[in-house]
Amino acid sequence: MRLRRADLFDPTGERFGIPTFPWRMAPDGYATRRQLRAAGLRPGGQQVAAQCLRPRRRRGPLVAYLYHIDQAKPVRPMTPARWTALAKANAARRVCPGCGRDAGYVIPASLGTCVPCAYPQGEAHGIAA
């Protein structure tokens, strides 16, 4: 189905089920999650109120879900316990499961271990031992 910009304007939601607008043409009062976060807000449990669509050639349209700004709630503040939990989680991402040392960087998921454990002979990126 080839969508044109005019096909994407459906403010009543008859065609797509929810109000739909062309990309970058959402009316005032709606915002995406990122826009809410930049304003210090969160959706706060509300359902998606509308969407913006942008036609793409191969894989279907790009979708941006929109929420009512007036129903959004303030972002919950970070408590000392949440900061501690976040620090522990980030520290755990730096510990190599192979040797148990702090690698000094986040262990790449593609390797699963630190670089010295993944390439014990110095074979990484053409380095010969």
Side-chain angles (χ1 to χ4, degrees):
M1 172 167 104
R2 177 110 170 118
L3 294 173
R4 294 174 299 150
R5 192 175 188 115
D7 296 332
L8 302 177
F9 187 73
D10 179 24
T12 60
E14 289 178 25
R15 181 174 182 171
F16 297 101
I18 61 173
T20 304
F21 305 97
W23 200 256
R24 297 181 186 260
M25 295 188 68
D28 291 337
Y30 291 107
T32 63
R33 280 183 178 270
R34 285 188 178 186
Q35 291 168 338
L36 288 175
R37 186 64 179 201
L41 301 171
R42 61 185 169 93
Q46 65 175 302
Q47 297 294 320
V48 173
Q51 65 183 354
C52 282
L53 293 178
R54 185 176 91 186
R56 276 182 32 186
R57 293 193 176 123
R58 293 197 175 108
R59 290 186 273 160
L62 286 174
V63 180
Y65 296 112
L66 304 172
Y67 301 90
H68 290 288
I69 295 174
D70 57 347
Q71 295 177 11
K73 296 179 180 175
V75 175
R76 293 184 194 115
M78 288 291 281
T79 63
R82 290 177 75 190
W83 279 114
T84 303
L86 182 62
K88 285 182 181 178
N90 284 333
R93 295 176 64 201
R94 297 166 51 112
V95 175
C96 175
C99 62
R101 293 183 294 195
D102 184 344
Y105 51 87
V106 174
I107 304 294
S110 60
L111 296 179
T113 62
C114 63
V115 174
C117 289
Y119 301 103
Q121 303 300 323
E123 304 149 4
H125 302 290
I127 300 172

